[in-house]
């Protein structure tokens, strides 16, 4: 290949500028959200411990009555609860779907299941929210009790939404396994189930875990679908039928009603910062898992 | 239970799981399209929404969604495609390449509401545009950029190396080779990616709440001067999209026929996204067949 490309020609400069823009964008997102999100702690002097660990929430209580208090724990716990439960429901289904598509019925899997899951991923999240609201919430109210707006409705809606992620990543990692593994297991006289359970699933483990973490990340950051069905009540749930609230839902609900620069508004930005940090944390976790997988 | 029975049971369970998944999708799509489809009429698709009375349509919202889609995809491709070309053709392992890859990964995992808030800060407040189509389009660009960069990089990488060497051997420069030989070959793959991204743009709502806004000014269709404040084409006016509309009519709950508007709009949304997906799939298959037959 000609080496003239190594100089800084105009077209190379243009392409580099566009690639550079991607970096600039990422850095500015991190900088802007951090600046706004840290104001709670740097300007309003709220201790991070109060934000992360306290359940007392009264952002507009005057100082003489002992306020304001901005304990974010109910929001954090709500987010953790809906996303963890969603992943617990979606993982067995998504993983068994992936094994089915790759090992049990490859043709049928490829022609029906894969496109079906891709379409599931394509359905917009407000539509999931709308379906949850008009079908699932009344169903829960009539058959399980309570208001219907609940942790249960929230994680069921989310579990359908993260299914495609878990399915796709698991299927990809199963497909990437060297065929020798399977052949060796069959040559030893294993049944298909034994091969899947004792050889293929353990070998694809790091990929599968990465898929589950990715699903968890999706669930954690999902906003509108969750907000529409969970009831948005700021309390720590004691049963699946209790209404809850999440970080994303608090941002969605309160952002338009708070004044920029006020403590209440700043706390919402801190919640956004927390979401940002969590999503970075999830990427790092996936990277670590992938690295461990290579060594195996 | 001996190994053979266990195998049979497991197989049966896998089939059951797969059937459950397909039934879930079928049930969901069937329900949305059946329930909402009845409400889709020409009038519903073209008339403006009502704020407190029954009988409103989704005309401006549908228009806004499509306009936003075009605006945002244009910007995304304009930045993403060159970045993809850079990664596939020019980038050498090093700090810059590492940083671009890390950025793409970070961007693609960001919750869309965080992107919306960033848009509020930068594209709405800092630029002084206020809630506007442009702010919404830029927020959507942030969401779709990683997908477009990755798709273009992959499509360009999968072009056989011989083609490049042949072109270079004939004395073409690297840039001529990319532009005249590699890009035409990579085009179908890139187009498929763009269509899928377009489907995502159409359904996105969380990132638009605080960038494109939750209301539309009174639009005068027929007024096509983009600088006029009530022209539908003005990119600096607030614009409520279809997906945002579903969320908002429900959150406000002021219209009596909420259910009809929500069901109808959800069906339109799903049908359009489905159309995009099937279109991309069809196009991909068609092009694949033509390339392999040639």
């Amino acid at each position: 290949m000609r080496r003239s490309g190594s100089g800084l020609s105009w077209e190379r400069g243009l392409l580099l500028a566009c690639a550079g823009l991607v970096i600039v964008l990422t850095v500015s997102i991190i900088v802007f959200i951090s600046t706004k999100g840290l104001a709670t702690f740097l300007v309003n002097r709220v201790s991070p411990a109060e934000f992360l660990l306290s359940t007392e929430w009264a952002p507009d209580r005057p100082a003489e009555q002992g306020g304001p208090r901005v304990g974010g724990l109910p929001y954090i716990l709500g987010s953790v609860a809906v996303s963890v439960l969603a992943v617990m429901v979606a993982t067995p289904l998504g993983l068994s779907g992936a094994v089915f598509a790759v090992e049990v019925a490859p043709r049928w899997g490829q022609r029906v299941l894969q496109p079906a899951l891709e379409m599931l991923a394509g359905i917009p999240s407000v539509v999931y929210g709308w379906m949850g609201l008009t079908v699932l919430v009344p169903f829960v109210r009539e058959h399980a009790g309570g208001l219907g707006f609940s942790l249960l409705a929230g994680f069921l809606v989310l579990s359908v939404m993260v299914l495609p992620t878990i399915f796709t990543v698991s299927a990809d990692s199963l497909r990437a396994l060297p065929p020798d593994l399977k052949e060796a297991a069959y040559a030893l006289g294993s049944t298909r189930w034994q091969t899947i359970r004792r050889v293929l699933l353990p070998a694809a483990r790091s990929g599968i875990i990465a898929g589950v973490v990715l699903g968890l990340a999706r669930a954690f950051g999902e906003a509108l679908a969750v907000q529409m069905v969970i009831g948005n009540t700021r309390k720590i749930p004691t049963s699946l039928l209790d209404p809850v609230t999440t970080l994303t839902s608090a941002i969605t609900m309160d952002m338009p009603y708070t004044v920029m620069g006020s403590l209440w508004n700043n706390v919402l930005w801190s919640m956004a910062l927390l979401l940002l940090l969590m999503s970075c944390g999830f990427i790092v976790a996936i990277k670590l898992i992938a690295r461990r997988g290579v060594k195996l | 239970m001996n190994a053979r029975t266990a195998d049979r049971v497991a197989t049966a369970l896998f089939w059951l799981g797969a059937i459950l998944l397909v039934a879930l999708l079928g049930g969901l799509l069937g329900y949305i399209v059946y329930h909402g489809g009845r409400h889709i009429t020409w009038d519903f698709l073209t008339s403006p929404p009502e704020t407190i009375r029954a009988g409103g349509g989704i005309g401006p919202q549908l228009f806004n969604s499509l306009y936003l889609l075009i605006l945002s995809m244009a910007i995304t491709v304009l930045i993403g495609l060159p970045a993809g070309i850079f990664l596939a053709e020019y980038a050498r392992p090093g700090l810059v390449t590492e940083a671009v890859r890390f950025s793409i990964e970070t961007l693609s995992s960001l919750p869309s509401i965080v992107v919306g808030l960033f848009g509020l800060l930068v594209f709405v407040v800092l630029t002084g545009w206020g809630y506007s189509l442009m702010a919404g389009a830029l927020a959507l660009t942030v969401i779709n950029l990683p997908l477009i960069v990755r798709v273009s990089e992959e499509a360009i990488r999968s072009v056989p190396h011989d083609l490049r060497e042949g072109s270079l051997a004939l004395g073409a420069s690297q840039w001529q080779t990319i532009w005249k030989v590699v890009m035409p070959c990579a085009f179908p793959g890139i187009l498929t990616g763009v269509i899928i991204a377009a489907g995502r743009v159409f359904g996105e709502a969380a990132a638009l709440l605080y960038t494109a806004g939750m209301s539309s000014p009174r639009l005068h269709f027929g007024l096509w001067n983009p600088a006029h404040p009530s022209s539908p084409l003005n990119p600096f006016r607030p614009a409520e999209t279809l997906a945002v509309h579903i969320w908002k009519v429900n959150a406000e709950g002021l219209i009596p026929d909420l259910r009809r508007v929500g069901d109808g709009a959800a069906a339109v949304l799903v049908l359009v996204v489905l159309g995009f997906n099937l279109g991309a799939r069809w196009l991909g298959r068609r092009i694949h067949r033509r390339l392999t037959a040639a």
Side-chain angles (χ1 to χ4, degrees):
Chain A
M1 221 176 258
R2 274 190 358 173
R3 287 268 96 188
S4 67
S6 59
L8 200 68
S9 57
W10 69 268
E11 64 281 347
R12 189 168 190 273
L14 190 79
L15 299 181
L16 186 62
C18 285
L21 205 57
V22 179
I23 305 177
V24 172
L25 206 56
T26 312
V27 171
S28 51
I29 289 177
I30 294 173
V31 168
F32 273 104
I33 301 280
S34 304
T35 320
K36 286 291 279 181
L38 289 174
T40 310
F41 313 113
L42 300 178
V43 179
N44 305 103
R45 301 270 161 207
V46 172
S47 77
E50 178 186 341
F51 172 63
L52 292 173
L53 301 173
S54 160
T55 58
E56 245 187 281
W57 178 262
D60 46 0
R61 187 189 294 165
E64 50 274 18
Q65 290 169 31
R69 312 287 293 165
V70 288
L73 189 65
Y75 298 100
I76 298 170
L77 282 183
S79 279
V80 171
V82 280
S83 40
V84 168
L85 288 169
V87 166
M88 278 166 58
V89 174
T91 301
L93 251 182
L95 185 57
S96 76
V99 172
F100 181 86
V102 178
E103 294 299 331
V104 180
R107 267 189 76 78
W108 198 75
Q110 215 117 70
R111 297 187 63 157
V112 181
L113 212 52
Q114 188 100 25
L117 266 293
E118 275 167 32
M119 298 219 168
L120 218 50
I123 296 178
S125 81
V126 268
V127 174
Y128 279 113
W130 179 254
M131 290 290 290
L133 188 72
T134 54
V135 182
L136 190 59
V137 166
F139 185 85
V140 170
R141 181 165 50 221
E142 272 158 39
H143 297 273
L147 292 168
F149 293 98
S150 56
L151 179 58
L152 179 68
F155 81 74
L156 285 181
V157 166
L158 268 183
S159 66
V160 182
M161 297 181 71
V162 300
L163 248 180
T165 307
I166 295 177
F167 171 88
T168 314
V169 181
S170 313
D172 284 347
S173 67
L174 282 171
R175 221 170 268 136
L177 292 177
D180 319 5
L181 283 179
K182 191 166 48 170
E183 281 156 20
Y186 282 143
L188 289 173
S190 311
T191 61
R192 183 162 66 191
W193 171 235
Q194 284 170 328
T195 309
I196 290 168
R197 200 167 85 97
R198 308 243 177 226
V199 179
L200 301 180
L201 286 182
R205 193 179 55 200
S206 68
I208 294 166
I209 296 173
V212 173
V213 174
L214 205 58
L216 199 60
R218 290 270 150 81
F220 205 82
E222 174 50 46
L224 299 188
V226 182
Q227 187 271 329
M228 286 165 94
V229 301
I230 53 169
N232 303 298
T233 303
R234 195 180 45 254
K235 95 180 228 234
I236 292 177
T238 48
S239 100
L240 289 181
L241 298 175
D242 280 353
V244 285
T245 189
T246 62
L247 294 166
T248 50
S249 155
I251 297 173
T252 317
M253 301 275 288
D254 294 347
M255 206 48 139
Y257 303 109
T258 54
V259 181
M260 272 250 191
S262 66
L263 171 63
W264 193 336
N265 187 266
N266 285 346
V267 174
L268 297 178
W269 287 96
S270 306
M271 292 181 183
L273 178 59
L274 190 60
L275 287 173
L276 178 79
L277 291 176
M278 292 291 288
S279 85
C280 289
F282 284 126
I283 305 180
V284 173
I286 289 170
K287 286 229 173 274
L288 290 178
I289 295 162
R291 193 168 305 158
R292 227 184 46 198
V294 170
K295 234 180 354 188
L296 186 132
Chain B
M1 191 155 48
N2 71 27
R4 194 176 298 270
T5 340
D7 186 52
R8 288 229 181 90
V9 171
T11 305
L13 284 177
F14 279 126
W15 272 95
L16 202 71
I19 290 167
L20 201 70
L21 279 176
V22 174
L24 184 72
L25 176 81
L28 230 118
L29 286 183
Y31 185 88
I32 296 169
V33 173
Y34 174 74
H35 265 258
R38 320 176 275 173
H39 304 307
I40 302 177
T41 58
W42 180 247
D43 193 49
F44 180 69
L45 292 177
T46 52
S47 59
E50 292 287 347
T51 40
I52 44 173
R53 278 180 304 163
I58 53 166
Q61 282 72 25
L62 198 55
F63 175 82
N64 287 341
S65 285
L66 290 171
Y67 188 32
L68 195 63
L69 176 114
I70 294 169
L71 213 55
S72 150
M73 288 320 292
I75 303 171
T76 312
V77 171
L78 222 55
I79 304 171
L81 184 59
I85 299 177
F86 174 80
L87 284 179
E89 295 284 334
Y90 288 91
R92 305 210 172 80
L95 206 63
V96 179
T97 314
E98 251 335 88
V100 175
R101 291 201 191 287
F102 176 78
S103 299
I104 290 172
E105 250 170 83
T106 310
L107 284 185
S108 69
S109 75
L110 280 183
S112 66
I113 187 131
V114 173
V115 175
L117 290 182
F118 170 74
L120 170 67
L121 214 51
V122 176
F123 307 136
V124 174
V125 176
L126 216 61
T127 56
W129 296 338
Y131 292 139
S132 61
L133 272 164
M134 193 46 99
L138 289 172
L140 291 177
T141 299
V142 176
I143 292 179
N144 274 318
L145 199 55
L147 179 69
I148 294 297
V149 176
R150 215 175 298 156
V151 164
S152 1
E153 188 195 351
E154 258 168 51
I156 293 168
R157 265 187 208 284
S158 67
V159 174
H161 224 75
D162 313 3
L163 282 178
R164 289 189 185 82
E165 279 161 13
S167 164
L168 291 170
L170 287 172
S173 71
Q174 190 176 2
W175 179 246
Q176 284 169 329
T177 304
I178 292 171
W179 203 234
K180 297 262 166 70
V181 179
V182 177
M183 289 309 290
C185 286
F187 178 73
I190 296 171
L191 189 63
T192 313
V194 169
I195 296 175
I196 289 172
R200 295 208 318 195
V201 169
F202 203 80
E204 177 58 48
L208 294 177
L209 292 183
Y210 310 120
T211 51
M214 284 181 254
S215 64
S216 295
R218 189 168 289 279
L219 299 178
H220 295 289
F221 287 89
L223 196 66
W224 300 116
N225 170 14
H228 196 282
S230 55
S231 163
L233 287 185
N234 184 351
F236 295 103
R237 63 174 176 88
E240 183 197 30
T241 65
L242 195 54
V244 171
H245 189 60
I246 295 181
W247 186 78
K248 199 196 72 178
V249 290
N250 167 62
E252 288 180 344
L254 293 176
I255 49 170
D257 57 346
L258 180 65
R259 189 66 198 267
R260 180 187 68 93
V261 173
D263 279 347
V268 172
L269 213 55
V270 165
L271 287 174
V272 172
V273 172
L274 218 61
F276 275 120
N277 272 332
L278 293 175
R281 202 176 293 279
W282 172 81
L283 200 74
R285 234 195 338 259
R286 205 178 119 101
I287 288 164
H288 178 76
R289 198 176 304 145
R290 231 180 52 194
L291 284 187
T292 45

